[in-house]
Amino acid sequence: MTFESFTAYFFVLFIATIIPGPNSLLAINHGANHGIGKTIYSGLGNLTGNLLMALVSILGLGAILLASSMVFLIIKWIGIVYLVCIGIKLIIEPITPVRSNNIKDKSTITKGKDKLFIDGFFIAVGNPKGILFFTALFPQFINIKSSTIGGFLIVFITLGVVAFGCYMLYAIFGVRLNRLFQRQSIRKGFNRITGSIFIGTGLILAFSEK
């Protein structure tokens, strides 16, 4: 991959990743409710999901999955159900009074590292259109027949850095919002808004043609 191709690849990938969506919304919510330290685990889960979709696309399985309407629908509805479930949980989650200035005490959602990882992972893989994006993107920058292992590593490492970096940027923004959560009503309102957006996104995906 030439420097010009790498620059173009990085730019397209960054723009596509930094645009707000379910991934960024989850990062903001986790950052606000759990702090940057624990949100790293959902970021790693999100990274794993993105790399898995990228690998599927590079291996050519992405085109096969997209051509199979049944497989596409299964993946699509898993993502929809997961988005709606996360949204409902955020809306009904009880809020307790803040007792200190420590962000850990402000969090009312006591998710473990494994659950945070799973949330990040399923948000990434739950939208099959991600596979469509990677399937369309990689052929523009990778020649499967002539590319070396080094070329593939550059593509994957760049994807990993951009995906994880953008996710954590949104998480930092969520941490900054946490200062507003000294008021119980604001914290509950924030969770209701983000929960409603998750549910709305799931419903939009449910009624989309593909």
Side-chain angles (χ1 to χ4, degrees), residues 87-118:
I88 292 174
K89 186 172 182 180
L90 285 173
I91 291 174
I92 67 176
E93 195 76 44
I95 297 294
T96 57
V98 177
R99 292 188 295 271
S100 76
N101 292 326
N102 190 322
I103 191 172
K104 292 182 179 179
D105 294 331
K106 294 179 182 181
S107 175
T108 61
I109 307 174
T110 56
K111 282 188 178 181
K113 299 173 182 178
D114 55 339
K115 291 184 178 179
L116 291 171
F117 182 93
I118 290 172

Side-chain angles (χ1 to χ4, degrees), residues 34-174:
H34 302 286
I36 199 68
K38 292 188 71 174
T39 304
I40 289 176
Y41 293 95
S42 69
L44 291 174
N46 192 263
L47 171 62
T48 302
N50 277 298
L51 291 178
L52 177 61
M53 290 195 297
L55 179 61
V56 167
S57 299
I58 286 181
L59 293 177
L61 299 176
I64 297 175
L65 292 177
L66 291 170
S68 173
S69 58
M70 179 60 68
V71 174
F72 187 94
L73 284 175
I74 291 174
I75 297 175
K76 174 181 176 179
W77 279 99
I78 289 175
I80 290 170
V81 170
Y82 203 79
L83 281 171
V84 172
C85 286
I86 289 179
I88 292 174
K89 186 172 182 180
L90 285 173
I91 291 174
I92 67 176
E93 195 76 44
I95 297 294
T96 57
V98 177
R99 292 188 295 271
S100 76
N101 292 326
N102 190 322
I103 191 172
K104 292 182 179 179
D105 294 331
K106 294 179 182 181
S107 175
T108 61
I109 307 174
T110 56
K111 282 188 178 181
K113 299 173 182 178
D114 55 339
K115 291 184 178 179
L116 291 171
F117 182 93
I118 290 172
D119 278 352
F121 177 82
F122 276 105
I123 283 294
V125 302
N127 184 1
K129 292 185 179 180
I131 296 179
L132 177 61
F133 170 73
F134 288 125
T135 301
L137 175 67
F138 290 142
Q140 311 303 319
F141 302 98
I142 300 177
N143 188 325
I144 302 296
K145 296 181 179 179
S146 62
S147 291
T148 62
I149 295 178
F152 283 108
L153 286 177
I154 291 175
V155 168
F156 271 87
I157 292 174
T158 303
L159 169 61
V161 171
V162 171
F164 187 76
C166 290
Y167 191 91
M168 295 311 296
L169 281 176
Y170 277 107
I172 292 172
F173 176 68

